[in-house]
Amino acid sequence: MPQKKQFYKEFNTLDYVLRNARAILLVPHVNPDLDAAGSVSALYGFIKKHYKKNTVTITCFDPMPESMKEIMPNIVFVHPNKIRVEDFDVIIGCDSVERGFDKIIKSASKECVTVTIDHHHDITIESDLRIIDEKCAATCEILYDFFVSRNTDSFDKDIATALLSGIIGDTGAFQHANTSAEILSMSSNLIKYGASITKIISTLFANRKIETLNLWGKALEQTKFFPESGLAVTAITGSSMDGHAANSTEASNIASMLTTVPSVKAALIICQVGKNTIKGSLRAEKHANIDVSAVAHTLGGGGHPLASGFSIPGRIETTEDGGWKIV
């Protein structure tokens, strides 16, 4: 595995910023996944535990997914419309910051310190402090290193659970190519502090509702495979959901599942997540030498070479030949 960056200077600066902050705002990306939700939840707990700050708020344009609430029940996401961004003197974006954080900081005061903590390779947004390492499997991995660098007793059960959730999410429950010996060592240590790997995986991956399994079945049954490119494509339309609201996690899980099929080099699933909103998830097989983030970028999204996503306006409609079109 490539060597990670060493953030000695940046971690000291972040520590100074947190110690002197009056009001701190934490921002995950829209449609938060496990790493986004886990990173802000862990940082929230760490700040409360070690910096004794009374004013720490997590804001997000979307609520925390219901499945994640079971793992992190004490965390509340506040919609940006319900806060005054200019009241915060530190704003920290965690994970895929160009999907939410970029909008929030436009309302920040001139004196506000902005911080980016991320592991995506395509971050272009400017901030006062940038802690970015694309060699890390998850943003939670970077935060783990920061916590350990500050305090030998950095974790409690809630912080450990949040960090492990993010690591599990972005390593595909330790099945993706970014699972390193260091990641497994970190996870082992988090388990010692009370994080339950069994509860996390069973809550997020195993305990599927019948409606979810039916939705997966429909999506997999409709999958189109293009052998000349190795691309598998499927869609979850509004009519196929039968009242079951699909979410971004379900869509990405289906895309990941498709890349395990022989001959599939990359997979795309588009999913109707609102009346006029479509979520797209792209996955690539690790040996295919395909960068799906380049595709996501053209649609206003982003991510990693092997796993990316995007959101676009529109509705998915089924065509007469069994395909789909976006209107």
Side-chain angles (χ1 to χ4, degrees), residues 205-255:
F205 296 101
N207 293 336
R208 305 295 185 191
K209 296 179 180 179
I210 292 297
E211 294 88 349
T212 299
L213 296 177
N214 288 337
L215 198 64
W216 282 21
K218 291 178 181 179
L220 294 172
E221 184 181 14
Q222 298 177 132
T223 299
K224 315 294 183 186
F225 178 61
F226 302 90
E228 64 277 9
S229 62
L231 176 65
V233 180
T234 190
I236 298 176
T237 65
S239 60
S240 69
M241 290 189 288
D242 292 331
H244 176 72
N247 60 49
S248 57
T249 301
E250 291 173 5
S252 61
N253 285 338
I254 295 171

Side-chain angles (χ1 to χ4, degrees), residues 43-307:
L43 188 53
Y44 176 93
F46 186 78
I47 292 170
K48 285 286 191 179
K49 179 179 173 68
H50 294 286
Y51 296 94
K52 312 299 182 184
K53 300 295 181 182
N54 293 322
T55 306
V56 186
T57 304
I58 301 174
T59 189
C60 187
F61 289 97
D62 295 297
M64 179 182 283
E66 290 297 323
S67 59
M68 297 183 197
K69 289 182 180 179
E70 296 183 37
I71 302 169
M72 296 169 261
N74 300 320
I75 299 298
V76 177
F77 284 6
V78 181
H79 195 278
N81 289 345
K82 296 184 179 181
I83 62 172
R84 281 172 47 89
V85 174
E86 58 269 29
D87 289 343
F88 295 87
D89 56 340
V90 176
I91 304 178
I92 304 176
C94 293
D95 195 47
S96 200
V97 295
E98 294 185 345
R99 289 191 286 152
F101 178 70
D102 54 335
K103 298 177 177 65
I104 294 293
I105 61 175
K106 290 179 180 178
S107 301
S109 67
K110 292 181 179 180
E111 296 77 22
C112 179
V113 177
T114 57
V115 182
T116 300
I117 306 175
D118 214 312
H119 73 124
H120 292 83
H121 73 291
D122 51 5
I123 301 301
T124 59
I125 189 172
E126 293 296 326
S127 57
D128 297 311
L129 177 61
R130 288 165 58 91
I131 304 175
I132 301 172
D133 190 354
E134 67 276 8
K135 297 180 181 65
C136 287
T139 299
C140 281
E141 181 180 355
I142 299 174
L143 286 174
Y144 177 101
D145 288 338
F146 170 63
F147 295 169
V148 170
S149 75
R150 297 302 99 187
N151 197 303
T152 55
D153 185 28
S154 299
F155 308 109
D156 57 26
K157 183 178 179 180
D158 289 342
I159 294 172
T161 297
L163 289 176
L164 186 58
S165 297
I167 289 171
I168 287 174
D170 269 21
T171 61
F174 310 114
Q175 297 180 77
H176 295 169
N178 58 359
T179 303
S180 63
E182 186 173 3
I183 278 288
L184 294 175
S185 177
M186 286 181 181
S187 300
S188 175
N189 193 41
L190 294 172
I191 291 170
K192 291 178 184 178
Y193 278 91
S196 173
I197 189 170
T198 303
K199 180 179 180 180
I200 294 169
I201 291 179
S202 64
T203 300
L204 297 168
F205 296 101
N207 293 336
R208 305 295 185 191
K209 296 179 180 179
I210 292 297
E211 294 88 349
T212 299
L213 296 177
N214 288 337
L215 198 64
W216 282 21
K218 291 178 181 179
L220 294 172
E221 184 181 14
Q222 298 177 132
T223 299
K224 315 294 183 186
F225 178 61
F226 302 90
E228 64 277 9
S229 62
L231 176 65
V233 180
T234 190
I236 298 176
T237 65
S239 60
S240 69
M241 290 189 288
D242 292 331
H244 176 72
N247 60 49
S248 57
T249 301
E250 291 173 5
S252 61
N253 285 338
I254 295 171
S256 296
M257 190 184 306
L258 288 172
T259 60
T260 66
V261 176
S263 301
V264 173
K265 297 180 181 179
L268 165 65
I269 177 170
I270 53 174
C271 175
Q272 195 79 49
V273 295
K275 288 184 178 180
N276 196 45
T277 303
I278 297 168
K279 164 77 175 181
S281 289
L282 291 149
R283 296 293 183 271
E285 200 276 325
K286 62 182 180 181
H287 299 300
N289 195 30
I290 295 174
D291 181 0
V292 294
S293 68
V295 178
H297 267 298
T298 65
L299 297 168
H304 303 283
L306 298 181

Side-chain angles (χ1 to χ4, degrees), residues 16-31:
Y16 176 84
V17 168
L18 293 176
R19 289 188 184 282
N20 290 277
R22 173 181 49 79
I24 302 168
L25 186 63
L26 308 178
V27 187
H29 64 67
V30 297
N31 294 317

